[in-house]
Amino acid sequence: MNGAGVYLLSLSPSLPIPPLPCPKNPASRALTRTLVALRVSRRRVAVARARGSGADLKSEPLDLSDSSRDSSIGVHEAESVEASSPTTEELGWMAGLEALPKRWVIVIMCFSSFLLCNMDRVNMSIAILPMSAEFNWSPSTVGLIQSSFFWGYLLTQIAGGIWADTVGGKTVLGFGVVWWSVATALTPIAAKIGLPFLLVVRAFMGIGEGVAMPAMNNILSKWVPVAERSRSLALVYSGMYLGSVTGLAFSPFLIHKFGWPSVFYSFGSLGTVWFAIWSRKAYSSPLEDPELSAEEKSLIIGNSVSKEPVSEIPWRMILSKPPVWALIVSHFCHNWGTFILLTWMPTYYNQVLKFNLTESGLVCVLPWFTMALSANLGGWIADTLVNKGLSVTVVRKIMQSIGFLGPAFFLTQLSHVHSPYMAVLCMTCSQGTDAFSQSGLYSNHQDIGPRYAGVLLGLSNTAGVLAGVFGTAATGYILQHGSWDDVFKVSVALYLVGTVVWNLFSTGEKILD
């Protein structure tokens, strides 16, 4: 911390001072003396203001010399907090977060959790190659291992939503990250013990990741005003896309240098760092955060509805609402095409476009990058339209129509192009327009029922995951008896069905209280 920074902190009683580090080396002792001096200076300012002399306060430079008095104070205070002092890395993270509005701190932490989520999910798709060679797994066994993740993932979608809406999103998301990180780190051990143990660990990982989306939806429904909802959700979901890019980029390097277990150990350990910061900085609601400024709390609460945790879920009322079914049906139609493209594209690039495996891996990254960019672009466009006075209902319908009709159009062009690179361009544009759905159906759960946002996302995402499971299997059957054109025709048909259902029955108004 430089002198200018210390001087500014001494003049700004509203700025928080980080916890004192342990005095185990000269640098730590110097920082400790600085922080103690800041606290003493603030107490002097507070006393002077209390006596009515605030207008005559004069700034005095802080004495940061290595005096015995300052040192003894620093050591005494540091020892009292030694057990709970954050690491240097955590202090750096928290110092950067302090400069942001608290609601965006929550958004960034959710973004980083989704980044870890997909990093831990995609690493198996790379590591499975050396693992299957080492353990002599057949293709059917590989398929069983890959699918075991979804056993747990399906199990906790609705349960995670209920849990988040009743106890709060902070607890549930924190649990999810820790749970799937531990499962990730245990994967190599389970694989060496035996196949049944590996299947259980992968299912356990799905349990942890299954609660992430409902919990995130719950906590953002409390922290983010309507006018910022689209871009905040777009940023969070783009963490998933960038997590896939990061996982696909670093996994081969780690496997080559340190062996396939290193991927699971290194990726899994990152969750502990995230959780340490999350537990200190996050709260389920602005009403629970003692550090939130009155100005920001007024902004959030003034632009939101009552967000107290619910005591029970009114299932009959929820399932009787047409907009809820519009969410469920549209999520199914959307994920059918999305899962097929993301699961089968390497095969398509290799078999149809004749790219080798290295080239297929490189071009598979392009849709993820494009989705991350276009999701955030769509979020800013949607929030701008809302701020300009366009109704939330109209904005949601526009954005989701792009998310359906854009992919449908570009998929229909694949049968008319003859250049492999034009085909890649069509696929990339298809996924790029698909990401506008983050400002459509993915934002709509908080619109129609903010107090039940977790449950609503759990319901619709269950349909979305089922679409991925069935769609991936159906694609294999279609390819065995037909062609890639037939695969794309089914996806286009479902995109069109989703467009009609969404525009007829969806709304941006609150229908559940």
Side-chain angles (χ1 to χ4, degrees):
M1 183 180 297
N2 59 34
V6 170
Y7 184 74
L8 289 174
L9 279 172
S10 69
L11 296 179
S12 307
S14 62
L15 292 176
I17 298 176
L20 296 175
C22 302
K24 295 182 178 178
N25 55 61
S28 294
R29 288 196 295 271
L31 178 58
T32 297
R33 289 193 298 273
T34 300
L35 297 176
V36 172
L38 284 173
R39 290 178 176 175
V40 172
S41 176
R42 286 192 177 177
R43 285 197 291 269
R44 290 173 180 168
V45 171
V47 170
R49 287 179 175 171
R51 293 174 177 172
S53 58
D56 300 321
L57 287 176
K58 293 183 179 180
S59 303
E60 297 180 359
L62 295 174
D63 182 9
L64 305 180
S65 62
D66 193 5
S67 65
S68 60
R69 177 177 179 276
D70 286 333
S71 178
S72 63
I73 293 174
V75 170
H76 176 72
E77 293 202 23
E79 288 177 346
S80 68
V81 296
E82 182 171 357
S84 61
S85 294
T87 65
T88 303
E89 291 79 5
E90 291 166 6
L91 279 174
W93 266 91
M94 289 188 283
L97 294 176
E98 290 286 356
L100 296 172
K102 190 58 182 287
R103 64 190 184 279
W104 282 97
V105 171
I106 300 296
V107 170
I108 290 173
M109 290 300 297
C110 289
F111 163 86
S112 58
S113 72
F114 275 42
L115 185 79
L116 295 177
C117 176
N118 266 31
M119 284 177 62
D120 290 343
R121 186 186 302 187
V122 303
N123 57 12
M124 177 59 85
S125 65
I126 304 296
I128 198 73
L129 299 175
M131 291 174 72
S132 60
E134 178 176 334
F135 297 111
N136 295 315
W137 289 333
S138 66
S140 60
T141 301
V142 171
L144 183 65
I145 294 170
Q146 294 280 43
S147 66
S148 60
F149 169 86
F150 290 100
W151 305 345
Y153 193 69
L154 272 172
L155 186 66
T156 52
Q157 289 296 314
I158 297 176
I162 296 173
W163 191 19
D165 288 343
T166 52
V167 305
K170 174 184 177 177
T171 300
V172 180
L173 185 56
F175 161 82
V177 173
V178 171
W179 186 278
W180 88 57
S181 296
V182 170
T184 299
L186 290 177
T187 299
I189 300 173
K192 293 177 187 294
I193 295 175
L195 180 61
F197 293 92
L198 178 60
L199 296 177
V200 170
V201 167
R202 292 298 294 175
F204 274 18
M205 182 180 172
I207 288 174
E209 294 204 0
V211 305
M213 289 179 67
M216 176 278 300
N217 218 37
N218 171 275
I219 196 169
L220 291 193
S221 72
K222 295 174 171 60
W223 275 96
V224 179
V226 175
E228 300 175 0
R229 180 170 296 162
S230 296
R231 61 179 179 268
S232 63
L233 281 169
L235 177 62
V236 171
Y237 281 114
S238 67
M240 298 182 69
Y241 310 143
L242 295 177
S244 295
V245 171
T246 305
L248 292 171
F250 282 96
S251 293
F253 170 78
L254 290 172
I255 292 172
H256 178 71
K257 296 288 290 186
F258 307 106
W260 65 263
S262 65
V263 174
F264 300 100
Y265 293 141
S266 57
F267 284 16
S269 64
L270 295 175
T272 60
V273 178
W274 180 92
F275 182 75
I277 301 173
W278 178 255
S279 60
R280 288 186 175 96
K281 304 301 297 182
Y283 293 87
S284 292
S285 162
L287 300 175
E288 301 175 14
D289 190 343
E291 299 178 353
L292 187 65
S293 68
E295 180 182 1
E296 187 173 8
K297 182 178 292 187
S298 175
L299 171 66
I300 297 171
I301 302 300
N303 288 275
S304 305
V305 296
S306 177
K307 305 287 176 60
E308 296 83 3
V310 299
S311 56
E312 58 180 342
I313 309 298
W315 291 108
R316 184 185 299 274
M317 179 178 66
I318 289 174
L319 295 176
S320 68
K321 302 294 185 180
V324 172
W325 286 101
L327 271 176
I328 294 172
V329 173
S330 297
H331 210 144
F332 182 91
C333 296
H334 171 265
N335 275 29
W336 182 285
T338 300
F339 270 86
I340 287 175
L341 293 178
L342 297 180
T343 304
W344 284 93
M345 278 311 94
T347 303
Y348 175 78
Y349 291 144
N350 180 254
Q351 293 182 354
V352 178
L353 304 184
K354 305 304 180 183
F355 288 149
N356 60 41
L357 292 179
T358 301
E359 292 172 325
S360 297
L362 291 174
V363 295
C364 280
V365 172
L366 289 177
W368 293 106
F369 271 123
T370 306
M371 292 175 80
L373 294 173
S374 60
N376 286 283
L377 173 63
W380 282 98
I381 292 174
D383 282 346
T384 299
L385 293 175
V386 171
N387 288 326
K388 288 184 177 295
L390 204 61
S391 75
V392 176
T393 298
V394 172
V395 171
R396 297 289 177 251
K397 290 186 176 183
I398 291 174
M399 303 309 287
Q400 189 55 46
S401 294
I402 296 174
F404 278 143
L405 297 178
F409 170 77
F410 287 109
L411 289 182
T412 59
Q413 302 307 301
L414 284 173
S415 59
H416 304 296
V417 299
H418 304 288
S419 165
Y421 296 100
M422 285 301 296
V424 170
L425 178 62
C426 285
M427 299 298 297
T428 302
C429 290
S430 173
Q431 291 305 96
T433 51
D434 174 280
F436 276 68
S437 298
Q438 310 303 340
S439 302
L441 74 88
Y442 282 95
S443 299
N444 196 233
H445 309 81
Q446 298 181 25
D447 297 328
I448 66 176
R451 295 187 68 206
Y452 306 101
V455 169
L456 291 172
L457 186 66
L459 279 171
S460 70
N461 203 39
T462 297
V465 174
L466 289 173
V469 174
F470 295 145
T472 301
T475 298
Y477 178 83
I478 293 172
L479 290 176
Q480 186 174 344
H481 297 86
S483 66
W484 278 100
D485 282 346
D486 298 323
V487 171
F488 296 141
K489 286 176 183 177
V490 174
S491 296
V492 169
L494 286 173
Y495 280 137
L496 296 178
V497 170
T499 304
V500 173
V501 171
W502 183 255
N503 282 281
L504 285 178
F505 300 108
S506 70
T507 181
E509 305 300 321
K510 184 169 72 72
I511 61 171
L512 300 170
D513 192 5

